[in-house]
């Protein structure tokens, strides 16, 4: 299994912290956000290769960080240099697939979220279902739903529909940016783009895929900390200290 880490954003809402430094390498507690994610995933021993997809501005930061990790990590530079010229998450995924000729099951995750549970539970869930999969959590705040991927769930955790940033959310099931693609489904990313799937939001591929094949949605077994601005970064620093003590 390969793990693709989406880290090509510019995190403009976190300036000045991220004006010249990538958000996934900001520290939460004693470790960077990326260290928390990879150190957890690697305990399962299922991932043979981690791929960090970066923009050109921050690629060297990730390369320096990767050189100090005792796992197989490749940094892929998508060659964009500004927020306005970014490829978008789904195009970045396809860029990495093409660049490295990837042909395997894939765990695809955002590199800027901290979790209070182990992602190994999600990996095991997807392996048990033998399909592509996502996680879901109940979001009561309608305003937040309109800024997220929203799922409609049928029987046995199957996704009936998914909409990114809906004006009128049809459920309260929110999809965080953690996805498992089977080897066969990973081959469909380019077709999804060719058929008009969104490229910016990472969940756009799942929104297309759930109408092409079965995709399961596991209820998230804990809490995630989404670091979007300076206030949320300060909040996660305080809350995460409370979890780890």
């Amino acid at each position: 299994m390969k793990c693709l880490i989406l880290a090509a954003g510019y995190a403009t809402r976190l300036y000045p912290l991220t004006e010249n430094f990538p958000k996934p390498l900001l520290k939460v507690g004693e470790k960077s956000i990326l260290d928390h994610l990879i150190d957890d995933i690697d305990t399962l021993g299922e991932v043979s290769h981690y791929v960090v997809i970066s923009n050109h501005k921050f690629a060297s930061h990730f390369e320096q960080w990767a050189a100090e990790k005792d796992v197989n990590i490749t940094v892929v530079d998508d060659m964009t240099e500004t927020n306005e010229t970014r490829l978008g998450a789904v195009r970045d995924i396809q860029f990495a697939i093409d660049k490295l000729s990837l042909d395997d099951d894939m765990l695809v995750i955002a590199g800027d979220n901290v979790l209070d549970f182990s992602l190994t539970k999600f990996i095991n869930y997807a392996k048990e279902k033998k399909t592509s999969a996502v996680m879901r959590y109940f979001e009561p705040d309608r305003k937040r739903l309109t800024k997220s991927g929203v799922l409609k769930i049928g029987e046995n955790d199957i996704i009936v529909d998914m909409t990114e940033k809906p004006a009128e959310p049809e459920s309260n099931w929110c999809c965080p940016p953690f996805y498992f693609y089977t080897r066969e489904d990973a081959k469909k990313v380019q077709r999804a783009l060719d058929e008009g799937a969104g490229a910016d939001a990472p969940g756009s591929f799942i929104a297309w895929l759930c109408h092409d094949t079965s995709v399961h949605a596991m209820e998230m077994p804990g809490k995630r900390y989404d670091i979007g601005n300076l206030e949320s970064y300060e909040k996660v620093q305080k809350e995460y200290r409370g979890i780890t003590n």
Side-chain angles (χ1 to χ4, degrees), residues 221-239:
K223 183 176 179 180
R224 77 176 181 118
Y225 299 84
D226 181 14
I227 300 169
N229 53 33
L230 290 169
E231 182 182 2
S232 61
Y233 181 50
E234 292 173 2
K235 183 179 179 181
V236 72
Q237 293 277 46
K238 293 177 182 177
E239 290 193 23

Side-chain angles (χ1 to χ4, degrees), residues 50-133:
Y50 294 87
V51 178
V52 177
I53 308 167
S54 171
N55 56 54
H56 188 63
K57 181 177 180 181
F58 294 137
S60 62
H61 291 273
F62 289 113
E63 288 165 355
Q64 291 172 16
W65 163 83
E68 298 178 2
K69 294 291 288 183
D70 191 27
V71 291
N72 183 16
I73 302 175
T74 298
V75 177
V76 172
D77 180 355
D78 74 3
M79 301 308 294
T80 69
E81 297 190 46
T82 67
N83 192 52
E84 292 70 32
T85 60
R86 67 188 186 278
L87 296 183
V90 182
R91 288 200 187 97
D92 269 326
I93 292 166
Q94 187 60 48
F95 183 87
I97 290 172
D98 291 341
K99 182 81 172 179
L100 301 177
S101 300
L102 300 178
D103 183 18
D104 202 347
D105 293 342
M106 293 183 191
L107 177 67
V108 179
I109 65 174
D112 58 358
N113 284 231
V114 177
L115 307 174
D116 71 355
F117 62 92
S118 175
L119 269 174
T120 61
K121 295 178 181 179
F122 175 55
I123 296 170
N124 285 330
Y125 172 89
K127 288 173 60 184
E128 178 185 327
K129 295 298 184 182
K130 298 181 180 179
T131 68
S132 293

Side-chain angles (χ1 to χ4, degrees), residues 134-182:
V134 303
M135 284 191 289
R136 59 186 166 106
Y137 64 92
F138 189 87
E139 176 53 70
D141 189 324
R142 182 180 178 81
K143 186 176 179 180
R144 289 184 179 178
L145 287 168
T146 62
K147 298 178 181 179
S148 308
V150 176
L151 302 167
K152 286 179 66 177
I153 305 298
E155 294 183 2
N156 301 316
D157 291 350
I158 291 286
I159 300 175
V160 175
D161 192 25
M162 176 175 174
T163 307
E164 281 287 352
K165 301 181 180 179
E168 299 292 336
E170 294 189 54
S171 84
N172 293 87
W173 288 118
C174 202
C175 180
F178 298 89
Y179 318 97
F180 178 87
Y181 305 163
T182 65

Side-chain angles (χ1 to χ4, degrees), residues 87-94 162-164 181 185 188-212:
L87 296 183
V90 182
R91 288 200 187 97
D92 269 326
I93 292 166
Q94 187 60 48
M162 176 175 174
T163 307
E164 281 287 352
Y181 305 163
D185 287 346
K188 300 175 183 178
V189 176
Q190 186 59 59
R191 177 157 69 89
L193 289 168
D194 292 343
E195 293 183 5
D200 193 38
S204 296
F205 174 58
I206 296 295
W208 176 91
L209 185 66
C210 70
H211 294 287
D212 185 77

